[in-house]
Amino acid sequence: EVQLVASGGGLVQPGGSLKLSCAASGFTFSTSWMSWVRQAPGKGVEWVANINQDGSGEYYVDSVKDRFTISRDNAKNSLYLQMSSLRAEDTAVYYCATAMGGYWGQGTLVTVSS
Amino acid sequence: DVVMTQSPLSLPVTLGQPASISCRSSQSLVHSDGNTYLNWFQQRPGQSPRRLIYMVSNRDSGVPDRFSGSGSGTDFTLRISRVEADDVGVYYCMQGSHWPITFGQGTRLEIK
């Protein structure tokens, strides 16, 4: 069974940092493009970042470029999202997913507020 | 960025009746490799999105054959042949042919 378990969300002040993690199992993680996708409360879905299989290629939506960094550790079957300079508009549930959305995790809530 | 426009945004349907959601893209979704990366997702209340259809018309494993996808170029449709109570939720189209990946605004399906 495919599982994507995201963790690391929480309350952070504007300008702060947070690192999300996603533990993957049940599929060949090391050969899969991976994504982070977010959903603000009551809003639609927004793709945030993609990373290729070996981590050599990263792609970001403009609104998070130079603030967020996606990375992976294939030895640990894990995906990460380092978020810095956080803003109120980054408040959302963050999902890890395979890159074309075939599998999704349960999401972790990030709240940016003073 | 490719803008994905769904209609309608709200879709009240009687149980057992068909339903149809349109998704239009601001540019052709035919990728340079010849494929069209247009997917459909269902998000039930309180759940993560679940992919129903990939590459326009391919149903994911476990998806009932009541769901079908069609279209080409810039114009795509998700059809549900007979709506069941379990189908309530928000439906999104997503294009993966051009960076950045973009989603439609979502269509909320409810039972009349």
Side-chain angles (χ1 to χ4, degrees):
Chain A
E1 179 197 2
V2 171
Q3 284 202 313
L4 292 166
V5 180
S7 61
L11 175 63
V12 60
Q13 291 193 337
S17 299
L18 208 57
K19 185 173 185 177
L20 306 183
S21 300
C22 176
S25 61
F27 66 104
T28 309
F29 179 78
S30 60
T31 62
S32 300
W33 280 70
M34 295 297 298
S35 297
W36 286 99
V37 185
R38 68 184 178 183
Q39 187 169 33
K43 301 297 185 184
V45 182
E46 180 184 39
W47 168 81
V48 173
N50 263 18
I51 188 168
N52 67 357
Q53 294 94 327
D54 64 5
S56 62
E58 304 164 26
Y59 306 86
Y60 300 92
V61 68
D62 282 351
S63 58
V64 309
K65 268 180 197 170
D66 301 322
R67 300 190 300 123
F68 289 12
T69 302
I70 189 173
S71 62
R72 64 192 298 160
D73 185 336
N74 286 342
K76 294 183 178 178
N77 282 355
S78 291
L79 179 72
Y80 306 101
L81 186 68
Q82 177 68 53
M83 304 183 294
S84 60
S85 302
L86 283 161
R87 306 166 180 165
E89 55 264 36
D90 295 318
T91 293
V93 174
Y94 284 74
Y95 298 98
C96 63
T98 52
M100 279 297 168
Y103 301 111
W104 294 66
Q106 87 290 1
T108 187
L109 176 62
V110 172
T111 303
V112 184
S113 174
S114 54
Chain B
D1 298 1
V2 177
V3 177
M4 305 296 288
T5 303
Q6 290 183 227
S7 62
L9 299 184
S10 178
L11 184 56
V13 184
T14 301
L15 285 173
Q17 293 301 301
S20 179
I21 300 171
S22 169
C23 176
R24 290 197 166 95
S25 58
S26 60
Q27 59 184 273
S28 173
L29 298 186
V30 178
H31 191 270
S32 55
D33 65 7
N35 293 316
T36 300
Y37 296 100
L38 186 285
N39 299 342
W40 288 97
F41 296 85
Q42 174 195 61
Q43 187 174 30
R44 291 174 174 143
Q47 295 188 12
S48 302
R50 165 201 180 197
R51 195 176 69 185
L52 301 174
I53 302 286
Y54 63 96
M55 290 173 63
V56 181
S57 59
N58 298 279
R59 253 189 318 274
D60 272 280
S61 175
V63 174
D65 60 8
R66 302 182 292 105
F67 291 90
S68 64
S70 64
S72 64
T74 62
D75 201 349
F76 304 92
T77 302
L78 175 70
R79 289 187 176 87
I80 309 173
S81 58
R82 297 172 309 280
V83 169
E84 298 184 359
D86 209 29
D87 300 336
V88 166
V90 181
Y91 291 79
Y92 296 96
C93 59
M94 181 210 89
Q95 70 80 22
S97 295
H98 306 285
W99 297 112
I101 292 170
T102 48
F103 290 84
Q105 322 96 297
T107 294
R108 186 172 301 276
L109 186 149
E110 62 181 41
I111 304 300
K112 238 188 247 182

